[in-house]
Amino acid sequence: GVGSPALCSQEQMLVIHFGIFAPILYQQVIVKIFSEDGMGKVVEIPADMTARDLCQLLVYKSHCVDDNTWALVEHHPLLGLERCLEDHELVVQVQASMNSDSRFLFRKNYAKYEFFRNPLTFFPEHMVAWCQETSRTIPPSQLLQNFLATSSCPEIQGYLYVKEVGRKSWKKVYMFLRRSGLYCSTKGTSKEPRHLQLLADLEDSNIFTVITGKKQHGAPTDYEFCIKPNKGRGELKELRILCAEDEQGRTCWMTAFRLFKYGIVLYQNYKIPQQRKTLLSHFSAPVRSVSENSLVAMDFSGRIGRVIDNPVEAQSAAMEEGHAWRRSQRMNILGSHSPLHHSSLSSVIHIAQLWFHGRITREESHRIIHQQGQVDGLFLLRVSQSNPKAFVLTLCHHQKIKHFQILPCEEDGQVFFSLDDGATKFTDLIQLVEFYQLNRGVLPCKLKHPCTVVAL
């Protein structure tokens, strides 16, 4: 249903005509989308296109894996702010509220709906007023129902640092987040109405992460976020800049803001891809071709071939075939008289993998992990800065980023890679990643979500 692309003469960007999904006379709007390498596309879309639909279009055009973790990011470089659009938001409406320097980014975000899967890790008991008053542990389903049901009145409470308007100083204040807005107490931790002052209304504002670090605003910690009015002119004096004590606190406040603002719509956004996946699972024929479905595992080790009926044996045969392919490719590339070292293939075979990010710095790896969601198992591999022959696995666990050095080790003239001092050895990095995707080993969790940067 997508028309043929044409080049934009001035900006040399791709223009995609998407009008077939809209009525013939429906208004079309131009939207610029950028990838993280600074390159972009100009996309012509109908005025009622949602962020989810635009992501689906970009996934299709960029040949990405459609795993429902892509997001459209509203990015304000001069203000140092960004946020992921909710799937149901209309792209054109958001663009109308953005400044001329602002832009949309296309990026992975694994944490977008993680709080539906693991709510207790997002809402510590000491921060949820309902938990405090009942003095009992809450079942995860009941916790979410409490946030989603309009009849309930949950609260998030705790200390936050607030940047005083027009001044460089910060003030530590006790806060309450409710459906009606964000309030600060003018008297200690009191929540009496006469002691509460409204700081921000949820309906007319959005919550952003501050991405410029604590130096720009002289923040007391690194865990800044900001409430920005929708109808403002995008000036610093209009912003409510806040700061939490730690990452868990910031995540709790920001997630609760989204839940209070959008309620059940967020849950519907979360369920739509799952329902679509369930629907597709009933139609296996279009997903796999007839020729694929007719393939069976065969064993040709004997005089005549035989069909392998046992699925475990079939999987083992497939893995052995993969290892045999690696060995044959190594021999083909190196050859019997090649002057190259025998480990040449092992040292380059990983370069095309989405999780390999080359010679990025430790700080850059932190930035990418932060941007893509800080969920358990989010990872990337990079070249070590301290040892040019080694690599580093950067992994997120419990919202903390950890680094594990992968060192080469030689045995019987062959080079292997290991991150546990040689106890577990692998012929190349692909094999290492595949192992730790299935086995935790010495790591705090399995490798689950590869950090991916896609060029549009």
Side-chain angles (χ1 to χ4, degrees), residues 188-238:
T189 60
S190 171
K191 59 167 70 174
E192 289 185 35
R194 60 197 177 101
H195 296 144
L196 294 184
Q197 178 183 341
L198 180 67
L199 280 188
D201 184 272
L202 275 60
E203 188 67 30
D204 300 321
S205 19
N206 277 306
I207 196 158
F208 288 77
T209 302
V210 179
I211 58 172
T212 49
K214 62 182 185 180
K215 286 185 178 179
Q216 181 180 357
H217 304 294
T221 77
D222 290 312
Y223 311 105
E224 284 180 272
F225 60 101
C226 168
I227 297 175
K228 177 180 175 291
N230 295 334
K231 296 179 181 178
R233 290 182 293 178
E235 298 177 358
L236 271 175
K237 63 183 180 182
E238 299 171 339

Side-chain angles (χ1 to χ4, degrees), residues 342-362:
H342 66 271
S343 63
S344 294
L345 180 62
S346 296
S347 64
V348 298
I349 196 172
H350 52 269
I351 288 176
Q353 300 301 307
L354 294 174
W355 40 255
F356 185 69
H357 289 249
R359 297 183 180 277
I360 63 171
T361 64
R362 185 186 183 100

Side-chain angles (χ1 to χ4, degrees), residues 326-335 342 345-346 427:
R326 275 198 178 95
R327 288 193 293 270
S328 66
Q329 286 295 103
R330 184 177 285 110
M331 293 304 296
N332 290 340
I333 289 177
L334 300 177
H342 66 271
L345 180 62
S346 296
T427 56

Side-chain angles (χ1 to χ4, degrees), residues 155-437:
E155 277 185 355
I156 297 298
Q157 60 184 20
Y159 281 103
L160 283 174
Y161 296 96
V162 186
K163 188 175 187 300
E164 299 189 78
V165 179
R167 301 175 64 182
K168 294 182 179 180
S169 57
W170 291 74
K171 189 177 181 181
K172 192 174 183 179
V173 183
Y174 204 77
M175 298 277 194
F176 300 93
L177 182 61
R178 300 171 177 172
R179 296 192 200 283
S180 55
L182 178 67
Y183 300 85
C184 68
S185 177
T186 57
K187 186 179 181 181
T189 60
S190 171
K191 59 167 70 174
E192 289 185 35
R194 60 197 177 101
H195 296 144
L196 294 184
Q197 178 183 341
L198 180 67
L199 280 188
D201 184 272
L202 275 60
E203 188 67 30
D204 300 321
S205 19
N206 277 306
I207 196 158
F208 288 77
T209 302
V210 179
I211 58 172
T212 49
K214 62 182 185 180
K215 286 185 178 179
Q216 181 180 357
H217 304 294
T221 77
D222 290 312
Y223 311 105
E224 284 180 272
F225 60 101
C226 168
I227 297 175
K228 177 180 175 291
N230 295 334
K231 296 179 181 178
R233 290 182 293 178
E235 298 177 358
L236 271 175
K237 63 183 180 182
E238 299 171 339
L239 308 179
R240 277 293 180 184
I241 303 174
L242 307 160
C243 196
E245 292 281 6
D246 53 32
E247 185 59 57
Q248 188 183 39
R250 174 167 70 172
T251 302
C252 179
W253 287 102
M254 295 186 71
T255 305
F257 186 102
R258 292 172 60 206
L259 277 167
F260 286 154
K261 182 176 174 68
Y262 297 110
I264 197 67
V265 177
L266 278 193
Y267 186 69
Q268 292 166 349
N269 290 346
Y270 165 62
K271 295 300 287 185
I272 285 172
Q274 297 181 4
Q275 292 164 354
R276 192 175 296 170
K277 187 177 179 182
T278 304
L279 185 65
L280 287 173
S281 68
H282 295 301
F283 302 96
S284 57
V287 178
R288 297 186 66 192
S289 67
V290 175
S291 59
E292 273 186 303
N293 285 325
S294 62
L295 294 176
V296 293
M298 297 287 293
D299 175 17
F300 293 103
S301 58
R303 292 171 60 187
I304 59 172
R306 69 179 181 89
V307 175
I308 303 176
D309 295 317
N310 187 333
V312 176
E313 185 185 355
Q315 187 176 14
S316 176
M319 290 180 66
E320 177 55 36
E321 188 176 341
H323 293 317
W325 176 86
R326 275 198 178 95
R327 288 193 293 270
S328 66
Q329 286 295 103
R330 184 177 285 110
M331 293 304 296
N332 290 340
I333 289 177
L334 300 177
S336 55
H337 304 291
S338 172
L340 294 171
H341 194 272
H342 66 271
S343 63
S344 294
L345 180 62
S346 296
S347 64
V348 298
I349 196 172
H350 52 269
I351 288 176
Q353 300 301 307
L354 294 174
W355 40 255
F356 185 69
H357 289 249
R359 297 183 180 277
I360 63 171
T361 64
R362 185 186 183 100
E363 292 71 25
E364 183 72 1
S365 71
H366 278 235
R367 183 187 66 81
I368 295 171
I369 293 274
H370 274 286
Q371 287 179 342
Q372 300 200 9
Q374 284 188 278
V375 296
D376 284 1
L378 183 60
F379 75 97
L380 60 83
L381 266 72
R382 56 189 174 88
V383 176
S384 171
Q385 290 180 282
S386 57
N387 182 351
K389 293 184 179 180
F391 300 90
V392 176
L393 167 65
T394 302
L395 174 65
C396 185
H397 182 244
H398 288 174
Q399 296 181 330
K400 293 183 179 177
I401 300 171
K402 302 181 180 182
H403 304 271
F404 302 87
Q405 197 162 52
I406 301 169
L407 295 169
C409 53
E410 194 165 334
E411 186 177 290
D412 298 329
Q414 185 174 353
V415 175
F416 295 91
F417 295 97
S418 175
L419 56 72
D420 56 6
D421 296 323
T424 316
K425 297 185 285 288
F426 306 93
T427 56
D428 54 58
L429 295 183
I430 295 178
Q431 199 180 67
L432 181 146
V433 167
E434 288 174 348
F435 176 83
Y436 287 108
Q437 285 175 324

Side-chain angles (χ1 to χ4, degrees), residues 16-30 43-48 92:
I16 303 166
H17 295 285
F18 206 69
I20 194 167
F21 290 96
I24 295 173
L25 297 177
Y26 203 91
Q27 182 186 4
Q28 300 289 300
V29 182
I30 297 295
V43 188
E44 189 178 357
I45 64 170
D48 64 343
V92 173

